[in-house]
Amino acid sequence: NYIFLSSKSLVKFFSKLFLKKNHHNSLVVKSTGYPRFDYFNKIVTKKKDSIIIAPANFVAYPDHTLVHNLDNIISIILNKFKFNVILRPHPANRIYFKSKSHETKIVNILKKYSNNKKFSVDFSENYSKTYGKSFMLITDLSGTSFTYSFLTKCPVIFYSPKENLFKTNYKNLNHYKDRKKIGLV
């Protein structure tokens, strides 16, 4: 009978939705905040020497993914800067990164950088350690960009290979509108 949501705007949205569906009699919708943010804000990491690359689900968004240029992005950072690179694949795409049966461009990228001490891949469920040691995130349109920004107060670079198409498809979404509030496109 209860639904707990992270913000007042979500409570408002879902309350209207349930009113339309006539499910409002016994349902209580409450804003509880986002407990993971409270936990993460207690983590203190002094050494921030990494850049996270966190692509969105490239199967769901094949026209907007940075995966097609992943090798080039990693190479530039590792060869021209002193920063570490942490690749954090989208959970839905981890099979493409882990499975040896998927002899794909992605598997080849992982093989290419596997011996580089400045490169790592984070498949963990808990992103707090990875986020804590980074000073910037590079993504395409992943929602983790906002989580990262709110938790770390660090900037995000949005890699948008087809910005005009992205704008056409998503211009009315807050996700599109708010990108420049937390970083650069």
Side-chain angles (χ1 to χ4, degrees), residues 3-12 14 29-38 147 150:
I3 295 179
F4 299 105
L5 299 166
S6 60
S7 69
K8 291 178 184 177
S9 62
L10 285 175
V11 167
K12 186 177 176 181
F14 279 98
V29 184
K30 293 262 185 200
S31 173
T32 58
Y34 196 3
R36 194 172 246 179
F37 283 5
D38 296 337
T147 303
F150 293 142

Side-chain angles (χ1 to χ4, degrees), residues 17 21 32 40 47 60 62-63 74 78 83 90 99 142 149 156:
L17 179 68
K21 301 283 184 187
T32 58
F40 189 81
K47 189 175 183 183
D63 292 332
I74 293 169
L78 292 177
F83 311 125
H90 189 277
S99 174
S142 180
S149 177
V156 175

Side-chain angles (χ1 to χ4, degrees), residues 23 44 73 85 97 102 109 112 128:
H23 293 292
V44 178
I73 294 167
V85 171
F97 288 86
H102 288 92
I109 290 169
K112 179 178 178 179
S128 61

Side-chain angles (χ1 to χ4, degrees), residues 57-69:
N57 182 346
F58 59 79
V59 175
Y61 304 103
D63 292 332
H64 304 293
T65 184
L66 64 73
V67 168
H68 303 302
N69 299 96

Side-chain angles (χ1 to χ4, degrees), residues 135-154:
F135 65 91
M136 182 172 55
L137 178 115
I138 299 173
T139 189
D140 33 38
L141 68 148
S142 180
T144 202
S145 59
F146 294 95
T147 303
Y148 176 82
S149 177
F150 293 142
L151 288 176
T152 64
K153 312 283 189 278
C154 293

